[in-house]
Amino acid sequence: MSFLGPLDFASVPTRRTSLEIDGLILNQFTSVELVRDLSELANSFRLSLRDGPRSLATWPYTTPETDGLQLDWGKKCTIRFDGEPVLIGYVDDVYPTAGEGASVVVITGRCQLGDLVDCAPDPRGKHEYRKITLTQFAEKLCKPFGVKVRADVDVGEPFDKCVVEAGETVISAIEKYARQRAVLLTSDGLGTLVITRSGKERGNDLSFPGNILRSDGSFSARERFSDYFVKGQAEKNGGKRAKKPALDAKAEPLDTAPEPEASGEEDPAPEASGTLVMGHAKDPEVKRWRPTVAMTRTQAKNADAQKQADWMMRTR
């Protein structure tokens, strides 16, 4: 969803959107776009403005506009709308364009949570946490990045164990446990990771034509399935041990395979019955047989697998 569309400052004399970088405030934009999308954790922006320094370097008679500031990637920035901050983040990309009659620079970036999407948890920190809630786990992983965590909903009981796997990103490590609690991870745009669920109250009324300037959509069956299975493995509680070791110091190779010993007991239930967990959800709108299977990325219980299966069905 575009928070703001392109602005025509010839017809809108007030510059309601401002960008602050290194203490300098810029507000002479040719287009402004702020994007908040539930499928992307980090809010993003794309701004186009006249490039003062490069204009001076190209045409000496041009008027400086950015007080010599060389817009570059990596700089921290704040975007305000009507004076209120709507995004705090960093510049990711800079696209300068110079030609006869115009010199424009387009900058794109994301809010602070973009680092959670790109980066791994602190490799020097712990990789295993026990008896910890989802909120506490997220706080520990986000703290080195200066990102706060807020839970707007009940995140459930503490996990027996949360593990950070080698090579995964911060958000990947948190999300695998968020799925088991059927919650969403979003950004408030101002440096806070929000743990929440979809709202139960109606939002502001939208009308087209009216307060919607343009509308488009896409409806697809490619990612829809009839049945969602989530499988995982719980930690074993232990079982029967062999009566004697299979190999000892006096063991010698056998010419023939030994006959199994009669125990007088029925074969035990398969080991999987004590360790395998599974959740199952059906999408009633998909009439034909289209199953999909996902694995839990963590030690889970049947209730956790079921929540993840329900979550998959709803989000697809």
Side-chain angles (χ1 to χ4, degrees), residues 70-240:
Q70 185 72 25
L71 295 176
D72 205 353
W73 61 269
K75 291 183 179 295
K76 190 171 184 178
C77 61
T78 300
I79 298 177
R80 291 182 172 85
F81 184 70
D82 285 346
E84 293 293 329
V86 294
L87 187 146
I88 298 175
Y90 299 93
V91 176
D92 283 335
D93 307 287
V94 179
Y95 304 96
T97 301
E100 187 175 357
S103 179
V104 177
V105 61
V106 176
I107 62 174
T108 68
R110 294 169 295 172
C111 69
Q112 287 180 266
L113 272 65
D115 288 340
L116 306 186
V117 177
D118 299 340
C119 302
D122 188 350
R124 303 162 299 180
K126 292 177 61 176
H127 291 79
E128 184 176 304
Y129 301 85
R130 292 186 177 273
K131 297 299 181 182
I132 190 171
T133 67
L134 176 62
T135 305
Q136 293 169 338
F137 180 62
E139 287 174 341
K140 291 184 179 297
L141 268 57
C142 294
K143 184 177 180 180
F145 299 89
V147 173
K148 299 179 181 179
V149 178
R150 184 181 80 241
D152 290 345
V153 295
D154 181 10
V155 297
E157 297 295 323
F159 291 100
D160 292 334
K161 181 170 64 175
C162 291
V163 178
V164 178
E165 300 174 3
E168 67 180 348
T169 62
V170 175
I171 195 59
S172 176
I174 300 173
E175 185 184 30
K176 64 188 179 186
Y177 295 101
R179 290 183 179 183
Q180 293 187 25
R181 293 295 184 258
V183 294
L184 298 173
L185 302 177
T186 64
S187 171
D188 69 349
L190 303 176
T192 300
L193 174 67
V194 182
I195 303 174
T196 186
R197 290 191 177 94
S198 56
K200 297 181 179 180
E201 299 180 0
R202 285 180 56 88
N204 296 330
D205 290 334
L206 302 176
S207 59
F208 178 67
N211 53 9
I212 296 178
L213 301 180
R214 189 185 70 184
S215 175
D216 54 48
S218 174
F219 303 90
S220 174
R222 294 181 182 274
E223 299 297 326
R224 297 285 293 273
F225 297 92
S226 62
D227 294 76
Y228 297 83
F229 295 91
V230 175
K231 293 185 177 182
Q233 193 173 29
E235 291 195 6
K236 292 170 57 179
N237 294 323
K240 293 183 178 179

Side-chain angles (χ1 to χ4, degrees), residues 48-66:
S48 300
L49 67 156
R50 194 169 73 82
D51 188 356
R54 289 186 176 88
S55 295
L56 283 172
T58 307
W59 301 285
Y61 54 83
T62 56
T63 302
E65 189 172 290
T66 57

